[in-house]
Amino acid sequence: MSLWTHQEAEAATLGQSTQGFSADGLSIDTRTLKEGDLFVALKGEHRDGHDFVRAAFDARAGAALVTHAPDGVTGPLLTVGHTQRGLEDLARAARARSNARILGVTGSAGKTTTKEILRLAFNALGRTHASASSHNNHWGVPLSLASLPRDAEYGIFEIGMNHFGEIRNLASFVRPHVAMITTIAPAHLEFFGNCESIADAKSEIFEGLLPGGAALIPADSPYAERLKARARQAHVSNIVGFGITGEAKLLSFARDGGGMRVKANILGRAVDCLVGAPGAHIAQNVVGALTAVALLEGDVLNAAAALKNFTALKGRGARFEAGGIAVIDESYNANPASMAAALALLGGASGRKIAVLGDMLEMGEGGVVHHAGLAQPIAANNVGLVFACGTRMKVLWENLPDDVRGAYAETSTALVPRLLAALKPGDTVLVKGSNGARMSVVIDALKEKGA
């Protein structure tokens, strides 16, 4: 069964097709396009997708969504007034025709990891569609939603933001039955100023809830009461907390092999399950995910049993071995809360504990305090050496005891040789920083060392 016929796509977008087509999926990138996909020629700041339409057809695209016919292209075209609007029109039409139970997830940290936990949990119960990668922005959410299969039973959509109003708009597309917030923490402070404003922006997801839907909030957050108040403002009556406290409780978690055993009470049902990756933050979000299953009337125990197959994601806790050195790859992004969680994960590791830390970006005026404040979780988790890079991380470096200082450099590239020279077999190395800090350079160097 095709995802879109040309008739359906025309009706949704008010566009015109040059010839009949059917599409099996959607793509905005010719490098990952699959045969039969509808290629959407989005126009960005630096690239215009229309320049890649011919490449899309060379890759056997089923059709292309365009505003005009590029020169020399003869494949099926669906012409619309604006391709971003056309993508959004397809998203709304996909949502309107779907009978799937829909969950939206946002938060300052853990969105993508929690989305993958949810994907596993719901896959055990029925056909589940979830956002790919971190497709959580103004094009990622509509793209994920427009790709929702006709026969999906569950849909999981990650929703991100860095300004007010973004989640409100995206949640209006998703229209979830359950809206989950993983955590509220200092992130994007450059744009929001304080965590109360971040809580307000994240709580916009409640405005998209369908009537009778449930708001799922982190009960232990200092901003839990504010989130509840915002949910009530959005006329949500079913408000459920998860965490150490709340209606759904994390009772305990403990390392078990390469993962952990989690015990919880999910709205009155006892759960004892294995999860394929360790970490207090993961345990918390497992409880949230299983609570979402319960709220959507799914089989909690079957969903929990599937989580033994969970593995931490690349850049978000994935592990590998490099020449006798254990590496924890947290290189994708960073804020103070996720830094603390990652350092706690390092604290539970064996061998000498080494943290390689890059700048936390978009911290605003409080950035100096937040970077310097990392000295506390570093000490609490018995980190032996810290290697730091970036202009913002220099303040942390200056606040560390001399015996903990490994090396400092302005860039991740400059830090690599000093780190590699200091490593010994048996070490455990955590690599973390904001994406703009380019900590993936360190990860690549460690992988090359292992090879």
Side-chain angles (χ1 to χ4, degrees):
M1 186 184 300
S2 64
L3 181 67
W4 292 102
T5 66
H6 73 278
Q7 297 97 329
E8 291 169 325
E10 282 181 335
T13 63
L14 302 185
Q16 291 187 329
S17 300
T18 57
Q19 55 186 286
F21 68 83
S22 63
D24 300 321
L26 271 78
S27 174
I28 62 168
D29 188 338
T30 56
R31 295 169 298 182
T32 55
L33 182 144
K34 297 177 183 176
E35 182 176 352
D37 279 354
L38 171 62
F39 176 71
V40 182
L42 294 180
K43 186 173 183 178
E45 291 184 18
H46 306 294
R47 289 187 178 89
D48 185 345
H50 291 81
D51 296 336
F52 299 91
V53 172
R54 178 178 292 181
F57 282 116
D58 288 343
R60 303 182 69 84
L65 179 71
V66 298
T67 59
H68 61 275
D71 293 340
V73 171
T74 59
L77 302 176
L78 175 61
T79 305
V80 297
H82 193 283
T83 51
Q84 173 69 31
R85 174 57 189 265
L87 178 60
E88 293 173 1
D89 286 339
L90 290 174
R92 291 190 185 278
R95 180 66 186 89
R97 76 185 182 189
S98 177
N99 292 318
R101 304 288 284 171
I102 303 294
L103 189 144
V105 58
T106 191
S108 299
K111 292 185 295 295
T112 303
T113 293
T114 302
K115 181 255 298 179
E116 291 304 316
I117 292 170
L118 288 161
R119 184 203 299 268
L120 263 179
F122 281 102
N123 256 334
L125 310 180
R127 185 174 186 191
T128 299
H129 171 76
S131 305
S133 187
S134 295
H135 290 177
N136 61 25
N137 63 2
H138 68 286
W139 58 259
V141 173
L143 180 66
S144 299
L145 191 53
S147 302
L148 179 66
R150 300 170 187 269
D151 60 348
E153 297 172 72
Y154 299 100
I156 316 297
F157 297 96
E158 179 183 341
I159 303 176
M161 60 89 195
N162 55 22
H163 291 87
F164 281 113
E166 289 179 291
I167 288 180
R168 175 178 291 121
N169 178 52
L170 297 174
S172 74
F173 297 136
V174 175
R175 295 169 54 234
H177 296 91
V178 173
M180 177 182 179
I181 294 179
T182 59
T183 188
I184 300 297
H188 309 302
L189 282 176
E190 180 181 338
F191 308 115
F192 291 100
N194 55 58
C195 284
E196 287 80 5
S197 295
I198 293 170
D200 291 343
K202 296 295 184 183
S203 65
E204 290 173 5
I205 195 172
F206 302 144
E207 299 172 23
L209 275 169
L210 290 176
L216 188 51
I217 67 168
D220 308 317
S221 169
Y223 310 99
E225 291 304 317
R226 191 176 190 91
L227 294 176
K228 289 179 184 177
R230 290 298 187 191
R232 288 191 290 268
Q233 282 185 341
H235 308 291
V236 179
S237 58
N238 191 6
I239 304 172
V240 179
F242 68 95
I244 303 299
T245 61
E247 292 78 11
K249 291 181 172 62
L250 173 62
L251 303 178
S252 67
F253 63 96
R255 287 293 294 262
D256 190 315
M260 62 181 168
R261 180 170 292 278
V262 174
K263 295 183 180 181
N265 184 309
I266 306 298
L267 305 184
R269 180 180 288 276
V271 172
D272 182 341
C273 67
L274 288 173
V275 180
H281 56 303
I282 291 178
Q284 289 268 3
N285 289 327
V286 162
V287 173
L290 294 178
T291 307
V293 171
L295 290 171
L296 292 179
E297 301 179 349
D299 187 322
V300 173
L301 296 183
N302 278 345
L307 299 184
K308 65 180 182 295
N309 298 316
F310 174 74
T311 56
L313 308 176
K314 178 182 178 182
R316 296 180 172 88
R319 297 177 179 234
F320 63 92
E321 192 271 340
I325 295 157
V327 181
I328 305 173
D329 176 9
E330 285 272 0
S331 60
Y332 181 76
N333 220 334
N335 60 46
S338 66
M339 276 284 193
L343 288 165
L345 201 60
L346 178 62
S350 60
R352 187 172 60 156
K353 301 169 180 60
I354 298 175
V356 186
L357 307 178
D359 286 347
M360 298 183 293
L361 303 180
E362 298 181 357
M363 286 288 101
E365 294 180 359
V368 170
V369 173
H370 287 299
H371 282 81
L374 294 177
Q376 192 279 328
I378 285 169
N381 290 290
N382 299 311
V383 176
L385 283 177
V386 173
F387 291 77
C389 61
T391 55
R392 296 164 180 82
M393 268 298 165
K394 192 167 187 180
V395 67
L396 168 64
W397 177 254
E398 292 169 347
N399 278 273
L400 291 174
D402 288 344
D403 63 342
V404 178
R405 295 181 179 178
Y408 170 80
E410 289 190 1
T411 68
S412 57
T413 301
L415 188 63
V416 164
R418 303 185 68 181
L419 169 67
L420 295 182
L423 294 178
K424 301 175 182 177
D427 289 345
T428 297
V429 178
L430 166 72
V431 181
K432 189 164 181 66
S434 286
N435 203 29
R438 299 187 67 239
M439 301 309 288
S440 60
V441 170
V442 180
I443 293 295
D444 291 342
L446 288 168
K447 287 183 176 177
E448 185 176 344
K449 172 183 173 63

